Amino acid sequence: MKKLNRIVVGLDIIEKSNNVLKRALSIANEHKASLFIVHAVRTPWLEVPAYFGSKDISIDKESITKTIEKKIKTLNREFNVPYFIFVKEGNADDIILYESKLNHADMIVIGGHSKSKGRKGFLGTTAQKVANKSHLPVLIVKNSVKTSYKNVIAPTDFGMQSKQSVLFAKDIFPTSKINIVNAFETIYMEGPYAVVGRDLSQYNDVAKSCAKDDLKEFMEAVSVKKGKVIDGELYTKEALVNYVEDGSYDLVVMGSRGTSGFNALLGSVATYILRETSRDVLVYVP
């Protein structure tokens, strides 16, 4: 069973909600882990002209630390989770990844919403960069925190990384119900990849049957009871996102190849799901 002892939290104090802290505290409490809260301040690259009364811009790290301290003390009353606060200068993704290595973290928790006007619900740049470059699992929080995760959906290509991501989720969220989903691509017209001389409907039936067999084997391997093969039609990634959004799921779990980068496992499909789903996302890195 995977143990969580140290969790790095990428915190943005400008964000009004406390969802990232709430989720991190909840998980840390369940696993008796410590939190390493990291806030990155972008270092100004321009000096302020002398006629403004100052030669440079100073960053009040002490004040920022006190603000974070005030937030977490209020939220941590019911948990009493051990925590440490770090306020650093630099790019947020670089600082979060550096501190996760320095403090030997087991997982990163970070907020997922973009600050861009009109982009509510879309994945923020920092979260996307951290998910792409991380050497350990990343939980991207996009929603308010009410309870522990109850309904988890795991899109799969039946690969080893996908299997490991499901097993990791079972360890970290033992009370949740996990569902597996696979989308097979349907062929609707003749093309270079169609089987010559075969009826396309027959070909699609065989492809779906094979996918169902693979799903059954995969579910047995990870000891999950619920799973489904869906018709990916012409746009597999859109079909998967629609399936996730139509269900009552509160967490999406996907695997990554780690040093090869998040895009390596499911390619554009995984990146699309990560970016477009409104659900929280756990990216597992072995």
Side-chain angles (χ1 to χ4, degrees):
M1 181 176 179
K2 177 68 177 179
K3 291 184 178 180
L4 292 182
N5 297 314
R6 295 166 170 246
I7 301 172
V8 162
V9 183
L11 187 65
D12 183 356
I13 61 171
I14 298 176
E15 178 66 40
K16 292 182 180 179
S17 72
N18 293 315
N19 293 329
V20 175
L21 275 177
K22 287 179 181 178
R23 182 62 71 187
L25 283 167
S26 176
I27 295 172
N29 180 61
E30 291 177 10
H31 293 270
K32 298 181 179 179
S34 298
L35 295 184
F36 294 78
I37 302 166
V38 180
H39 176 70
V41 182
R42 181 67 67 86
T43 305
W45 64 276
L46 286 175
E47 292 186 348
V48 176
Y51 51 76
F52 279 106
S54 176
K55 292 184 178 180
D56 54 20
I57 299 175
S58 61
I59 296 173
D60 190 352
K61 293 183 180 180
E62 184 177 350
S63 177
I64 294 173
T65 301
K66 287 182 179 179
T67 299
I68 297 173
E69 185 86 34
K70 184 178 180 180
K71 274 191 173 188
I72 196 168
K73 275 189 174 181
T74 301
L75 298 171
N76 197 27
R77 285 174 183 168
E78 61 176 301
F79 300 123
N80 198 29
V81 168
Y83 64 89
F84 306 88
I85 299 173
F86 303 91
V87 177
K88 304 286 184 177
E89 295 181 32
N91 293 325
D93 52 302
D94 293 332
I95 296 298
I96 292 169
L97 293 171
Y98 175 77
E99 290 297 328
S100 68
K101 287 184 178 181
L102 187 66
N103 292 287
H104 305 287
D106 302 301
M107 186 168 75
I108 296 172
V109 179
I110 189 171
H113 285 153
S114 169
K115 300 184 185 67
S116 301
K117 187 176 180 180
R119 301 280 291 178
K120 184 178 180 182
F122 282 75
L123 188 66
T125 303
T126 298
Q128 189 165 5
K129 287 182 178 179
V130 170
N132 279 325
K133 299 189 290 185
S134 179
H135 65 289
L136 48 85
V138 180
L139 176 63
I140 300 167
V141 180
K142 299 185 180 185
N143 298 282
S144 59
V145 180
K146 298 178 181 178
T147 61
S148 299
Y149 293 120
K150 300 296 183 183
N151 297 305
V152 178
I153 184 70
T156 181
D157 62 351
F158 307 126
M160 180 57 67
Q161 287 75 24
S162 182
K163 177 182 177 181
Q164 291 174 334
S165 70
V166 174
L167 294 175
F168 179 78
K170 290 183 67 177
D171 284 344
I172 304 305
F173 310 114
T175 61
S176 65
K177 296 180 181 179
I178 298 180
N179 293 264
I180 311 296
V181 62
N182 170 263
F184 75 99
E185 293 186 9
T186 306
I187 298 177
Y188 289 102
M189 61 187 70
E190 294 286 354
Y193 301 106
V195 180
V196 178
R198 292 282 189 91
D199 180 77
L200 291 181
S201 61
Q202 181 184 1
Y203 178 86
N204 290 330
D205 288 343
V206 172
K208 186 173 184 178
S209 177
C210 290
K212 285 184 175 181
D213 290 341
D214 290 339
L215 177 64
K216 182 178 179 181
E217 183 178 343
F218 184 89
M219 290 170 59
E220 290 176 352
V222 296
S223 299
V224 170
K225 295 181 179 179
K226 291 187 177 181
K228 188 174 183 179
V229 171
I230 64 173
D231 186 348
E233 300 180 344
L234 293 175
Y235 306 100
T236 302
K237 55 188 180 182
E238 287 90 343
L240 283 169
V241 169
N242 289 337
Y243 183 83
V244 171
E245 297 299 304
D246 289 342
S248 57
Y249 305 110
D250 45 26
L251 179 66
V252 181
V253 175
M254 294 187 291
S256 166
R257 293 189 188 277
T259 55
S260 296
F262 176 59
N263 294 338
L265 177 59
L266 298 176
S268 63
V269 176
T271 303
Y272 184 87
I273 294 174
L274 176 64
R275 185 179 69 245
E276 299 296 331
T277 183
S278 63
R279 308 299 194 250
D280 290 5
V281 179
L282 173 63
V283 178
Y284 175 73
V285 182

